Amino acid sequence: MSLFNASALFIMLIMYSIITASTEGVNTIIPNSDPSPDGAVLGPVVSELAVSQSSFGPHVSLNFLSAFTEDLEGSDYCVELLRIFGQRYVSNVNCLVSYARPVQVCENCLVHYNSLTEIYTNISSDQMGPGNVSCRDSLLRSDRLMLIYLLYDNLEEIWTTSGCDHCVNKGLNQLTNDTFYFMAVLNQTRSCFERYQQQGNHSELCMECKATYKGLNELYGRMEKNCTLCIDIEDAMNMTRRQWSKNFNCSLPREETVPVIAVSSFMLFLPIIFYLSSFLHSEQKKRKLIHPKRAKSSTSLMNIQDKFS
């Protein structure tokens, strides 16, 4: 019996040593790996990386990247274009997020979008780079996803939906004169709001700022008819109108109310005018029909009198 217990203890010691050795092999930490922010070692992730390295070798990922780089035609030139595109894309996205509220993407992200368009044009064009190599096929059409095209197309759709082309000149380097003028009138109107808002007298604000606010509304209406509005102008005007009507409780009488009242009054009196004219016209017809009968009877009476005379 004691011999059996000793044999079992020996087998357990062997199994424990095997398990310990396998655990140490799996939990081996990759050199130069960083701990997690709270100081704990990233166990599962590091373990998986360690197993992959022990199974396939430490240079598999590097060999894959080098093979991909060599597969690109004119690798140095194309990889450089891809790197520049990535930097400018990130800058453009950061700008869009920064000026999302209030919306000022057309005004402030103009330079970023212009630079991104330039690098994408270089990538997608047939223009040859160093060594007479074009990167269009290798960067845009080499896979089913076409990631570079999708990324640029998304930002282009945002730019088009925002109507930024209406506020920017064709060269994509500055705003149009109409946009500059609207911004100047808008700043003048908001300065008037701030000046009288500090005094706390909204009734005086409504009186003193009515002229500038009315001019801003008229300018916005002309730009809307001329299709020169972008999302920056639309959002700025909506915020200004909300301040005027909701925050300051001001109102701006419309000039078209007088014609509307005149037309409405005319429509109300139109049935009366119609029946009155019909009545007068029927009376005139009656008179015209009776008058010839009287004249005929008087003529016949004169003829009878002449006969007897």
Side-chain angles (χ1 to χ4, degrees):
M1 189 69 179
S2 61
L3 180 61
F4 176 77
N5 292 336
S7 300
L9 180 61
F10 179 73
I11 293 172
M12 291 178 62
L13 290 175
I14 293 175
M15 292 179 64
Y16 176 76
S17 61
I18 294 174
I19 294 173
T20 305
S22 62
T23 304
E24 291 177 355
V26 172
N27 293 330
T28 302
I29 300 175
I30 299 174
N32 298 327
S33 62
D34 296 328
S36 62
D38 56 356
V41 178
L42 301 177
V45 177
V46 174
S47 300
E48 292 179 3
L49 292 176
V51 171
S52 64
Q53 278 196 352
S54 61
S55 302
F56 303 102
H59 302 292
V60 172
S61 59
L62 296 179
N63 292 334
F64 176 77
L65 291 177
S66 62
F68 171 75
T69 305
E70 291 175 358
D71 186 60
L72 287 175
E73 298 178 357
S75 59
D76 294 338
Y77 175 67
C78 296
V79 169
E80 181 64 16
L81 288 181
L82 188 62
R83 183 187 65 81
I84 297 174
F85 177 85
Q87 290 180 346
R88 296 182 181 182
Y89 187 89
V90 172
S91 299
N92 200 344
V93 172
N94 288 335
C95 182
L96 292 176
V97 174
S98 301
Y99 294 100
R101 292 301 309 157
V103 184
Q104 297 176 344
V105 294
C106 300
E107 178 183 1
N108 295 293
C109 301
L110 170 62
V111 177
H112 299 283
Y113 181 76
N114 188 21
S115 61
L116 181 66
T117 302
E118 289 179 353
I119 189 63
Y120 183 79
T121 302
N122 292 335
I123 294 175
S124 59
S125 65
D126 293 330
Q127 184 178 0
M128 297 298 177
N132 294 328
V133 173
S134 175
C135 300
R136 183 181 62 180
D137 294 335
S138 59
L139 294 181
L140 298 181
R141 303 177 180 177
S142 60
D143 58 86
R144 179 178 61 84
L145 183 59
M146 295 190 299
L147 183 60
I148 304 301
Y149 169 77
L150 290 178
L151 291 174
Y152 178 78
D153 185 66
N154 289 334
L155 291 186
E156 187 180 29
E157 184 179 0
I158 293 175
W159 183 267
T160 304
T161 306
S162 301
C164 293
D165 291 333
H166 299 157
C167 295
V168 178
N169 59 7
K170 294 183 179 180
L172 296 178
N173 52 14
Q174 65 178 1
L175 300 176
T176 60
N177 294 331
D178 293 340
T179 305
F180 278 123
Y181 182 68
F182 178 85
M183 293 298 179
V185 179
L186 176 67
N187 292 333
Q188 183 181 1
T189 304
R190 289 183 174 178
S191 298
C192 184
F193 288 174
E194 293 176 359
R195 183 167 61 254
Y196 290 97
Q197 185 181 8
Q198 294 176 355
Q199 299 177 5
N201 190 351
H202 288 178
S203 59
E204 187 176 0
L205 183 148
C206 298
M207 293 178 58
E208 298 296 333
C209 301
K210 183 173 72 173
T212 56
Y213 179 75
K214 182 180 178 181
L216 181 66
N217 267 289
E218 293 176 352
L219 176 61
Y220 183 83
R222 292 195 298 270
M223 296 181 68
E224 188 175 13
K225 291 180 180 180
N226 297 333
C227 297
T228 56
L229 294 179
C230 60
I231 189 63
D232 293 14
I233 296 178
E234 294 175 6
D235 187 69
M237 192 66 204
N238 290 336
M239 293 178 62
T240 306
R241 286 176 173 174
R242 194 178 302 115
Q243 279 186 317
W244 175 263
S245 60
K246 185 177 181 180
N247 297 350
F248 305 141
N249 198 21
C250 300
S251 61
L252 187 64
R254 298 180 177 271
E255 295 180 355
E256 59 266 21
T257 54
V258 176
V260 169
I261 294 174
V263 173
S264 301
S265 302
F266 175 76
M267 295 298 293
L268 289 175
F269 285 100
L270 187 61
I272 300 174
I273 297 173
F274 173 75
Y275 286 113
L276 182 61
S277 61
S278 300
F279 176 76
L280 296 176
H281 186 66
S282 62
E283 288 294 327
Q284 289 180 355
K285 281 188 175 182
K286 287 181 181 179
R287 291 178 182 178
K288 288 181 180 179
L289 292 174
I290 295 172
H291 181 69
K293 290 182 180 179
R294 290 180 179 178
K296 185 176 181 180
S297 61
S298 61
T299 304
S300 61
L301 182 61
M302 291 175 64
N303 292 333
I304 295 172
Q305 290 177 354
D306 290 339
K307 288 181 181 180
F308 284 105
S309 61

